[in-house]
Amino acid sequence: MKYYILFGPPGAGKGTQATAMAEKFNLCHISTGELLRAEINAGTELGVQAAALINNGKLVPDEVVEGMIASRFASVKGVDGFLLDGFPRTLKQAEALDELLDEDGEVVTAVISIMIPDEMIVERIQGRALKEGRADDASLATIQHRIDTYHAQTEPLIAYYKARGKYREVNGVGSIEEVREAIFNLF
Ligand code: ATP
Ligand code: MG
């Protein structure tokens, strides 16, 4: 099985590019952000707890997202692999993923990182807020907090995956088609 990680700051376009990649390589796309938003919309207990964190630009606890990933790995059949979007987001999550895969004799295949500068993160998320109405996109303070969290907790994963020879990067500045092309050119 292939295990791809789509990496990048908030608003980099992970969700947009994931759809094309999942189709091309017959992968199951798992977006932890989308799974959490589904819990929020369904009004589950987990959703209520997650909303309080997400809507303030904070991460949900590692165990929560780790559990979501493990249950999809165990239940999804008929694909050639998985495309993780928004996970791992902390070093602890990256280590948990390695352990989970190791139980099945599997490893991370590659990390595809979509990079954009901080100013563009703000611009894109503010544009998306007008269209999608996500509560965590609504205020500049929340967006800024997510950027800070990205730099502090998620960016260290770049070194983690570089050290393991898994890291590939594309320029996320450009049209959706240009970025898609750059990603497909990696393979
Ligand atoms: P993009 O626009 O590139 O898809 P994003 O950061 O805007 O990225 P999501 O990935 O959908 O949005 O995540 C939304 C929120 O869900 C995060 O800010 C965080 O609160 C929570 N979340 C998602 N994945 C994780 C995770 N792996 N660990 C902890 N919290 C997470
Ligand atoms: Mg997303």
Side-chain angles (χ1 to χ4, degrees), residues 10-11 14 32-33 37 58 60 86 89 93 128 134 146:
K14 299 184 289 287
T32 42
R37 283 190 286 282
K58 300 202 170 95
V60 305
R89 246 181 169 90
Q93 290 175 21
R128 177 170 75 186
R134 271 169 57 174
R146 281 154 67 198

Side-chain angles (χ1 to χ4, degrees), residues 3 30 69-77 82 84 97 100-101:
Y3 293 89
I30 308 179
I69 295 286
S71 81
R72 259 79 191 172
F73 281 175
S75 61
V76 175
K77 308 282 177 225
F82 291 87
L84 307 180
L97 174 62
L100 186 64
L101 293 179

